[in-house]
Amino acid sequence: MKILFMKNIAVFGSGSGSNAENICRFFSSSKQVQVVLIGTNKKDARITNRAKKLKVPLLVFSKNELNTFTKLHAVLLKTRVEYVILAGFLLKIPEKMLELYKNKIINIHPSLLPKYGGKGMYGNNVHSSVLKNNDLFSGITVHLVNENYDEGEILFQKKCAVDKGDDVSSLSKKIAKLEYLYFPKIINSFVLK
Ligand code: GRF
């Protein structure tokens, strides 16, 4: 039975939503944490189909609705969302939301920040930059969200080797594997701390 003391989380994404799905599956058997909402600014993104398949309530909002943060805030309050997880969410979080959810918004980034962070650094852009620079390692970073892209306090990092034969596709698979393995566990310990 899901109890009242559950920590409610929302997951926001703008693309495929494979991390969102993985997070939902991880918490589906939890007695302490539940995903009560998937949010997206892209009504045609694959994440919307995943939300429907998983039967997790889906909220599609515009950039303007995010920035004014009135309607969206009302939904988060109604669903008692305490933490917002960004998993491939590409819009900047507005100041109002950062104030109201101070230290309660976390993001995953597919590199070892501060390397390859900032505007435009997402998805394959990150991996091709890592390969272009012949880095020996890449990895994932889970961090708190603040007013600058990818600059909030780092909560967790995990490295992986970049091998000679790696290309964007193989490197992105290695990174995804790390994300699926660690991100839900880090969320769990963060929200239950
Ligand atoms: C992930 O690599 C994540 O690190 C980054 O965006 C990607 C999202 O992929 N922030 P998906 O939408 O979860 O499949």
Side-chain angles (χ1 to χ4, degrees):
M1 193 182 77
K2 303 266 181 191
I3 50 171
L4 265 179
F5 311 110
M6 281 286 219
K7 296 276 181 191
N8 286 357
I9 65 174
V11 183
F12 285 9
S14 306
S16 152
S18 66
N19 277 281
E21 175 163 356
N22 182 56
I23 293 164
C24 290
R25 293 197 186 283
F26 180 91
F27 288 112
S28 62
S29 56
S30 170
K31 292 196 163 53
Q32 291 168 294
V33 180
Q34 61 184 344
V35 180
V36 293
L37 187 76
I38 288 182
T40 186
N41 59 312
K42 293 273 179 202
K43 67 174 181 354
D44 299 322
R46 199 159 158 221
I47 191 169
T48 61
N49 301 329
R50 295 193 199 256
K52 287 170 200 156
K53 181 180 76 181
L54 293 160
K55 300 193 168 53
V56 174
L58 171 72
L59 182 71
V60 180
F61 49 82
S62 65
K63 186 174 178 181
N64 186 48
E65 283 168 335
L66 172 70
N67 288 337
T68 53
F69 200 59
T70 311
K71 215 166 123 189
L72 181 54
H73 189 210
V75 177
L76 296 180
L77 287 176
K78 197 170 167 212
T79 48
R80 295 196 175 87
V81 166
E82 268 188 71
Y83 293 87
V84 178
I85 312 303
L86 307 184
F89 186 65
L90 296 181
L91 295 180
K92 193 150 191 190
I93 299 300
E95 229 168 77
K96 198 169 162 191
M97 182 170 172
L98 289 172
E99 274 165 28
L100 290 163
Y101 287 82
K102 197 167 167 50
N103 296 334
K104 293 198 163 176
I105 308 173
I106 65 178
N107 181 46
I108 188 155
H109 189 79
S111 76
L112 296 169
L113 289 174
K115 287 188 115 181
Y116 311 110
K119 200 168 165 50
M121 273 296 166
Y122 59 87
N124 288 343
N125 298 348
V126 173
H127 307 314
S128 46
S129 305
V130 168
L131 292 165
K132 208 166 130 199
N133 288 338
N134 296 312
D135 286 4
L136 296 176
F137 296 98
S138 188
I140 59 168
T141 303
V142 178
H143 65 93
L144 288 175
V145 174
N146 68 9
E147 58 288 355
N148 300 316
Y149 275 117
D150 305 321
E151 284 184 17
E153 184 193 329
I154 291 175
L155 302 172
F156 174 83
Q157 292 189 302
K158 190 79 190 175
K159 264 191 196 178
C160 65
V162 180
D163 297 310
K164 276 212 162 52
D166 271 332
D167 57 13
V168 168
S169 157
S170 63
L171 183 55
S172 72
K173 283 193 186 107
K174 278 187 195 172
I175 296 292
K177 219 169 159 183
L178 291 182
E179 293 183 335
Y180 301 156
L181 183 62
Y182 291 103
F183 196 23
K185 292 182 187 162
I186 300 304
I187 295 167
N188 191 55
S189 46
F190 186 72
V191 308
L192 295 177
K193 74 183 177 304

